[in-house]
Amino acid sequence: MVAGQLLYVVTSPQDVTDIYKNTKTLTFDEYIRDVMKSIGVSDDGITKLWSTPDKSDDLSGLHKALAHAGEDYYREQLLPGDRLDVLWPRVLGLIDSAIQWDQLPRTPSATTMDGVKTVGLLEWNRKVLLESVVTAFFGPQLLQIDPQLLLHFAAFDEDSWKLTYKYPRMISKDMYHAKDQLVAAVETWLNLPRDKRLDGAWLIQKLEMETSKVEMSTKDLAAMITSLAWVILSNAYKLSFWMMVYIVFDASLYTTIKAEVEPIVVAGMTRLETRIDECPRLIALFNEVLRLTTASASIRTVESDTPLGDRVLRKGGKVLLPFRQLHFNQDIFGSNTSGFEPERFLKNKKLHKNPGFRPFGGGSTYCPGRYVARWEVLTFVSLALCRFDNISLASAETQTFPELNTKKPCLGIMTPIPGQDVCVVVRKKAT
């Protein structure tokens, strides 16, 4: 029991697999409702999202609650298929345009010279990937409505765990203010004439069309879309940051990864994501950094007494599946689970398919955004290494490897301890 709540913490890979298979007595809806309400969806909006329509009054044609239909739309947009074939080239083109010499952000206090710029890795990753994905989903208008949107998102994302833990507004003012700014910007975007935002992603347009059938308010829709954007935006830039950190701190790794991806980048941007996805050392690095930095968890509500192994999960309990504990299982990953060893994924080609490796969850909540997130990260790392002559630590003698912020609750990829961004010197390629 935790604060009067019956809580089951499950770390056995087999038990986790069994829980993911059970969608009847172990459900995710209560958690999603809580998140939606915390973001700002009203009680009326929650009712409209979770009301199951009668067959005679089923405007969606899907015979299910709009919240569940929305999950289907989310998958249709982000899993490989026609919708993603439209969205991803937009994202790729924007990342391509952003990782150019004249687009590099600079640390304000840094000294710059011709052909040399100093960049904060976390700041760089966040700017490129957030701006690219936001623009791909909403067109340029959302960032025009609020030019500080990415800063608001960063402020919200940093303390968003307080939203999940239901911290009151009076002691979480900065987080709630940032969240309110995000919702307000999306609401303003939704209130633009439709012909001014035709380049919004199919998912956004579909949600707007379906929620209008149940007369859901624009403010509630804005909060709903903000909650989806939070999930889509919050992890890729952090993972890309950590991959770049491991690379710039290890000259041998830098040389190896650059040599592997450079011929692919030089060959052009067409289907770049599928070609770099076949680079074994890059993918091993990706998986190892995921293993070390993921702190997310799945949660389920026990709707009725449910057998699990030799135990029974009691109705009303909560089930927590912490991925970080799974990723440090020595029976799966070897004795040195706390060490950085990408080679473990090269030695065991099936390790990434082990049920103990769950960076993107599983079952009905297996993250549909895993493809876009993976491609974002691999694209950023590959282009960053190949577009410039060299990327090196700005202060090799004094720069220490950043620490994971393990003391703060985290909903995905962990950030470094505040103040531990890594400054690097980027040198322009000779033309």
Side-chain angles (χ1 to χ4, degrees), residues 148-164:
Q148 302 300 311
L149 187 86
L150 301 186
L151 294 178
H152 294 317
F153 180 82
F156 166 67
D157 191 38
E158 180 66 23
D159 287 328
S160 58
W161 61 272
K162 295 179 180 178
L163 198 75
T164 305

Side-chain angles (χ1 to χ4, degrees), residues 233-255:
L233 296 172
S234 62
N235 288 307
Y237 78 89
K238 299 169 193 171
L239 181 59
S240 184
F241 161 77
W242 285 114
M243 285 185 69
M244 289 297 297
V245 167
Y246 278 103
I247 288 170
V248 298
F249 270 86
D250 185 332
S252 176
L253 183 63
Y254 188 116
T255 300

Side-chain angles (χ1 to χ4, degrees), residues 70-88 90 136-137 200-206 232 368-369 372:
E71 293 171 4
D72 294 337
Y73 308 148
Y74 190 53
R75 294 186 187 98
E76 185 174 349
Q77 175 70 87
L78 295 175
L79 291 176
D82 292 345
R83 307 295 183 191
L84 188 55
D85 287 346
V86 173
L87 177 68
W88 171 250
R90 293 187 198 173
F137 269 88
W202 173 84
L203 173 64
I204 308 299
Q205 296 181 31
K206 183 66 172 176
I232 292 168
V372 172

Side-chain angles (χ1 to χ4, degrees), residues 351-375:
L351 186 57
H352 69 288
K353 295 183 178 179
N354 190 290
F357 185 56
R358 297 278 189 179
F360 295 105
S364 63
T365 54
Y366 193 20
C367 178
R370 62 191 183 274
Y371 291 96
V372 172
R374 179 186 180 100
W375 295 342

Side-chain angles (χ1 to χ4, degrees), residues 84-124:
L84 188 55
D85 287 346
V86 173
L87 177 68
W88 171 250
R90 293 187 198 173
V91 179
L92 179 62
L94 289 159
I95 295 175
D96 178 24
S97 298
I99 303 181
Q100 303 286 347
W101 178 255
D102 59 357
Q103 296 297 316
L104 282 173
R106 289 184 295 180
T107 304
S109 60
T111 300
T112 61
M113 301 177 291
D114 287 344
V116 177
K117 291 182 181 179
T118 304
V119 180
L121 275 180
L122 185 62
E123 174 193 6
W124 187 18

Side-chain angles (χ1 to χ4, degrees), residues 275-430:
R275 292 181 289 120
I276 55 178
D277 215 347
E278 296 175 356
C279 295
R281 295 191 178 277
L282 178 67
I283 301 308
L285 173 64
F286 175 84
N287 286 329
E288 180 69 349
V289 175
L290 260 180
R291 186 187 70 82
L292 290 169
T293 62
T294 297
S296 50
S298 279
I299 192 165
R300 297 290 188 271
T301 300
V302 185
E303 300 292 347
S304 62
D305 289 359
T306 303
L308 182 68
D310 59 356
R311 296 179 175 85
V312 175
L313 308 179
R314 297 301 178 186
K315 180 180 178 180
K318 294 288 192 297
V319 181
L320 184 68
L321 313 175
F323 302 146
R324 187 162 176 78
Q325 282 72 11
L326 286 173
H327 293 172
F328 282 73
N329 187 322
Q330 294 187 358
D331 292 335
I332 298 170
F333 297 102
S335 58
N336 186 25
T337 55
S338 61
F340 171 69
E341 294 182 4
E343 293 78 14
R344 74 179 86 234
F345 286 95
L346 293 172
K347 293 174 182 175
N348 182 351
K349 299 293 194 298
K350 296 182 179 179
L351 186 57
H352 69 288
K353 295 183 178 179
N354 190 290
F357 185 56
R358 297 278 189 179
F360 295 105
S364 63
T365 54
Y366 193 20
C367 178
R370 62 191 183 274
Y371 291 96
V372 172
R374 179 186 180 100
W375 295 342
E376 286 178 63
V377 171
L378 298 181
T379 299
F380 183 98
V381 171
S382 298
L383 294 184
L385 293 181
C386 299
R387 286 272 168 87
F388 309 104
D389 184 59
N390 182 256
I391 301 174
S392 59
L393 295 172
S395 302
E397 296 81 11
T398 59
Q399 176 71 67
T400 57
F401 197 94
E403 299 174 71
L404 288 165
N405 193 357
T406 57
K407 296 181 179 179
K408 183 190 74 173
C410 179
L411 305 175
I413 302 296
M414 289 180 282
T415 55
I417 289 175
Q420 291 194 11
D421 193 358
V422 175
C423 284
V424 294
V425 173
V426 182
R427 289 177 171 78
K428 188 177 183 180
K429 252 186 180 177

